[in-house]
Amino acid sequence: MGRGKIEIKRIENSSNRQVTYSKRKNGILKKAKEISVLCDAQVSLILFGASGKMHEYISPSTTLIDILDRYQRASGKTLWDAKHENLSNEIDRIKKENDSMQIDLRHLKGEDITSLNYKELMALEESLENGLTGVRDKKMEVHRMFKRNGKILEDENKELNFLLQQHMALEGVGNMHGQWI
């Protein structure tokens, strides 16, 4: 005895709708895997449930980008416009720049320098010397500032001690005459 046919319309009961979605989602993902294995087909399946959660399957022999590129060529529909292509190129450029900066940073730390030639080593040494000069200058500036602040604090301390001694002397004079000021 086979299953009865159901009318294909939105299920109004949210609990029943969720159960049906879960079962059918698992079924369609299983079918996508099966057709991929059995027929050597390249399959990409993306599902978004009512909650916004994404479920996907992509054949192991391909990538989503490859599938979408093939779809774009076969259908003639433009999925990627020039703006997206430029953004992709910009991301690639920034990644390369980041990689280059990571290498430069390792060189500045003295790491991975065996591959550098004489000219590159000289340029690295000059950069390090310039950096060291800047660090020393800043260190001296901070030292002078601490020294200046220390001198100011010392002068203020002397002044406060002087005022305290004057106050104590006046109190002592007041005590000797039997009166408080």
Side-chain angles (χ1 to χ4, degrees), residues 78-125:
T78 302
L79 299 176
W80 318 116
D81 59 10
K83 178 181 172 185
H84 290 103
E85 191 64 34
N86 289 339
L87 288 174
S88 178
N89 291 338
E90 182 68 8
I91 289 170
D92 290 342
R93 185 191 65 75
I94 290 171
K95 282 180 181 177
K96 287 177 186 171
E97 184 178 336
N98 183 38
D99 290 344
S100 176
M101 292 174 90
Q102 291 288 336
I103 291 169
D104 290 346
L105 181 59
R106 283 197 303 274
H107 289 163
L108 288 170
K109 290 179 178 180
E111 300 169 2
D112 300 333
I113 59 174
T114 55
S115 63
L116 298 179
N117 63 37
Y118 182 77
K119 188 176 180 180
E120 292 168 327
L121 287 170
M122 292 298 292
L124 178 61
E125 182 181 27

Side-chain angles (χ1 to χ4, degrees), residues 26-41 43 57:
N26 291 337
I28 197 166
L29 287 170
K30 182 179 177 186
K31 292 290 184 190
K33 291 174 188 172
E34 289 173 357
I35 196 168
S36 177
V37 172
L38 293 172
C39 305
D40 199 25
V43 178
Y57 172 77

